[in-house]
Structures are given as C-alpha cells and as structure tokens.
Amino acid sequence: MAWPIVALWLAVVPQTWRTLVVPADEPRAEAVGPDPDRVLLLGSGKSAGFGVHTHELGLGGHLARELAALTKRGCSVDIVSDPTMSATDIGVVIGWARLDKFDALVLTLGGADTIRMRSLFAWRREVRALLDTIEEIGGGTLRSFILGIAPADGLLSLPAPLLRIVNVNIAYFNTMTERMCAERPGVTFVPVTPPAGSAFAPFESRTYKHWARELAPAVAAHLAHVAVPPPPGTAANQKSTAFDGSALRAKPVSTTLNEITHSARLLLNTNGAAITFHDEHAHWFTSTSGVADIERDEAGIFCSAAFTGLGLVVREDTFHDKSLSDHPWVVRGPRIRFYAGYPISASNGDAIGALCVFDTEPRTFDSSHESLLRELALRVESAIQHR
C-alpha cells in the first residue's frame, strides 16, 4: 500500500541521485600488465560512476587495478551503463554484445528497478530471464558476477518510514537474486557492504574501491584467462638491458607521455604534473602540464626521493617538511605546497624517473589517489618499454 506514496514522492521531490556528477570520459578502465584479462561491467547505478568525474575513480577503474594486483596480469574493463537501465534492458544489451571477447561479466542490477518500485514477482521473472540469456549467449562458459544492490540511504530523498520500506524491498531483491545465482554454477552473487566508518554507501571513490575489493577476489579466482609464460630467457634479457634514453625521443612515445601527464593533472585535480627522468649526471623533464618553465637543476631533492625510494613519495605540505621548506620550488617559482611522485622503472628494474603531481595548496592524498598515480606511472613504463 505504501508504493503509490513512495512513487509519488520520488516523482515530486528532487532526488539526490539526479544531482550527482557522472564520468564524462571514455567508459573504459585499464590496468597495464602482461596478458590482460577483459571484463565487461554492465548495468545501472554502480557501473555508471555516480559521484566521480572519471571512470578511473569509479567501480570500473578500481576493479581493473584490484584484479591486476591479484592476478599479476593486466586488466581492461569495458563499461556499458545507463541510469535508467533495468534488468530487462541489461538482457537486451547482452543479446547484442560480443561476450566471446570477455573473460568475465560483472552486472550491477537494481538501480532503476528500485526507483521504479518493481514488484518482487516481476524482479524474479526478469532476473531469471536475464540469467537464461547470459547462459545462452555466453555458451554456458562465461563466468558472471552479480553485485548486490546497496541500500538507498543517501541516494533517495525520502522520509525515514518510506526509506525503510524501500530498503526492506532492496533486501528482498538481494536475497532472491542470491538464491537464483546459487542455482547456476556459472553465476556468483557478491553482496555489498558500506565502507568502514560509514553507516551507508555514499557514491564516491572510496566506496567504489571498497566494492571493488569485495568483488575482485571472486572474479580473480574464476578468471579463465591464463597468463602466457614469456619466451625462455626473456626475463634474463630484460634484467641485463639498461634503459635506453633514446626511446624518449620517439614521437609516439613523447606524445603518449604528454597525454599521460595531462591526464595526471586533470584526474588528480592539481595545478601541475610532470614526468622526469635522470641519469648519473642530471635530471630532465620530458613532459609537463599546467606549469611554466621549471629550473631543471633544482629538481634534485623533489624528484630523487621517488627515484631512490622505489615507492610513492608524498609531501602533503612542504612548509612543514624540513628538507623542502627552503627549496627554490617552494619559496619561489611554482611555489609548490603539495607534491606526490611515483617511480618509473626500466625493464631491468632500475628506477629511472618519476611521474609527479603538485599543487600550490597543501592537500590530503588518500589511497584512491595512490592507486591512480601508480596506474599512470605504469602506463609511462609501458610506453617507453614497448614502443
């Protein structure tokens, strides 16, 4: 009896989900690595990336990086999503999608169906039809994963009593879906939980990372794609091969590095970004974005920390860092208050450079930023090693 009231309220009162930003970039995320797995992320809500400006910080980007970390291979995630996509719509998309290109299928159901107040009977019928379509189109061999529906807190603007009714219905949807998945050996249901410290699951990067971490172990355990071993002697050859700086002069490489630098500045929302390399004599920049000329002989202490540490280096406020507070880049020039750098390695494992971002204001650098900077640094390595 409450559904007409809920439906009327949703139609009349402005809803939170309509005000959230969505990614405007290409619906694809990639983690660089050998023999990449391919995953199709399909559905509404969580797949769409509500609340973030780029898919790199949405579920697709975090899932690609989490899977690559588990499998030690590359991973690309293609994203097909629409806020209005129902379970029936997803079945239609699967009907024309080339599922043979993918190693795993990840579905996010329920966003549109929750808002449309779909009945439990209709939900059961449509999800069963969807699973039948997946088995038919995928030939019974494609491993599929269905991510549960998150509670509507923070997403729908409803009075508390009505919100409880919606959340109870979501719980029924999840229970019913989990039972249907349990009946099919090729489908795995993965429930969702709010990230640590949250009473609900807000649509933001840390939530997507949390969901990706819950989902990735199940996907990685069942991926049919097996890494192809390198030819005999490849590892030894790579280990003995030093970095050839001439690669940086190749136009395709320099163009790619410029694109990565520009992406780093935009994705991490900083004033500037740069890729810098070094040898025993000096540091030099191959690409900068958002900054004017920087004196290269002053690069030392900023860049060498990332070179020698072989890991992420972050200076959230250079004014409070004794080693940097009087540096020329801090007191004049670009006036850097925030710096983060991730090392770039040659094929023999030597640290030869760093991808860095910096800002004129102090900033907090969280784990999602680290994952993104690391991924961009790996793309630099791929560009110079596989030119």
Side-chain angles (χ1 to χ4, degrees):
M1 294 178 62
W3 291 128
I5 301 175
V6 173
L8 179 61
W9 192 282
L10 293 176
V12 173
V13 177
Q15 295 301 305
T16 304
W17 72 273
R18 296 184 185 276
T19 66
L20 296 174
V21 299
V22 291
D25 54 349
E26 182 183 3
R28 191 171 188 271
E30 182 175 7
V32 176
D35 195 24
D37 295 301
R38 295 203 60 183
V39 177
L40 176 61
L41 177 60
L42 174 59
S44 60
K46 294 181 283 294
S47 295
F50 280 115
V52 295
H53 290 84
T54 167
H55 286 292
E56 292 287 355
L57 296 179
L59 180 60
H62 285 299
L63 181 60
R65 293 187 288 275
E66 292 293 333
L67 285 174
L70 291 173
T71 64
K72 309 305 180 185
R73 301 194 295 273
C75 181
S76 64
V77 178
D78 288 84
I79 304 162
V80 179
S81 181
D82 187 281
T84 64
M85 190 177 288
S86 67
T88 300
D89 297 329
I90 292 173
V92 173
V93 173
I94 287 175
W96 55 257
R98 289 186 54 192
L99 295 185
D100 59 301
K101 298 192 306 178
F102 299 98
D103 302 298
L105 172 65
V106 176
L107 302 178
T108 59
L109 309 180
D113 295 286
T114 299
I115 295 174
R116 292 169 181 165
M117 303 298 110
R118 185 75 76 222
S119 70
L120 294 177
F121 175 79
W123 176 257
R124 181 190 296 110
R125 182 187 65 239
E126 292 171 9
V127 172
R128 182 173 288 119
L130 172 61
L131 296 178
D132 290 340
T133 300
I134 293 172
E135 286 188 1
E136 179 182 353
I137 302 298
T141 60
L142 180 69
R143 173 65 64 167
S144 303
F145 302 84
I146 296 182
L147 195 58
I149 310 170
D153 307 72
L155 182 64
L156 300 182
S157 298
L158 289 169
L162 296 181
L163 185 60
R164 281 195 294 271
I165 292 173
V166 172
N167 282 336
V168 167
N169 204 53
I170 288 174
Y172 284 140
F173 279 4
N174 282 331
T175 300
M176 190 178 298
T177 305
E178 186 172 12
R179 289 174 180 171
M180 285 188 284
C181 291
E183 298 169 355
R184 302 178 187 242
V187 185
T188 300
F189 179 84
V190 180
V192 298
T193 62
S198 296
F200 60 94
F203 280 83
E204 57 189 31
S205 181
R206 71 185 182 100
T207 302
Y208 291 124
K209 182 172 185 177
H210 172 71
W211 288 339
R213 284 185 167 177
E214 292 188 320
L215 178 62
V219 179
H222 293 94
L223 279 172
H225 204 84
V226 178
V228 177
T234 298
N237 292 339
Q238 287 185 342
K239 198 66 181 177
S240 62
T241 302
F243 171 61
D244 181 6
S246 64
L248 305 178
R249 295 190 291 270
K251 187 172 182 180
V253 174
S254 62
T255 299
T256 299
L257 298 188
N258 286 335
E259 292 172 351
I260 294 172
T261 308
H262 186 61
S263 295
R265 180 172 68 85
L266 294 180
L267 293 175
L268 291 160
N269 194 30
T270 56
N271 295 140
I275 297 175
T276 178
F277 291 90
H278 81 111
D279 57 22
E280 65 273 19
H281 303 296
H283 299 80
W284 72 92
F285 298 94
T286 61
S287 178
T288 59
S289 177
V291 293
D293 291 338
I294 297 179
E295 293 296 330
R296 301 180 182 189
D297 57 359
E298 298 173 345
I301 192 169
F302 267 99
C303 302
S304 61
F307 298 158
T308 58
L310 295 178
L312 175 71
V313 174
V314 177
R315 302 289 184 262
E316 294 189 336
D317 190 345
T318 57
F319 277 8
H320 297 126
D321 189 311
K322 292 181 180 179
S323 64
L324 294 174
S325 58
D326 60 350
H327 191 278
W329 285 2
V330 176
V331 298
R332 62 176 186 271
R335 297 188 180 278
I336 295 174
R337 288 290 301 276
F338 165 84
Y339 170 90
Y342 202 94
I344 298 166
S345 299
S347 57
N348 66 353
D350 292 339
I352 55 172
L355 169 65
C356 60
V357 292
F358 40 88
D359 206 280
T360 54
E361 298 292 335
R363 297 180 50 160
T364 299
F365 197 77
D366 64 27
S367 57
S368 66
H369 298 147
E370 178 181 353
S371 298
L372 188 54
L373 191 61
R374 173 183 176 275
E375 175 60 29
L376 292 169
L378 290 175
R379 293 185 187 182
V380 175
E381 292 179 5
S382 179
I384 62 177
Q385 293 175 17
H386 303 99
R387 62 191 189 281

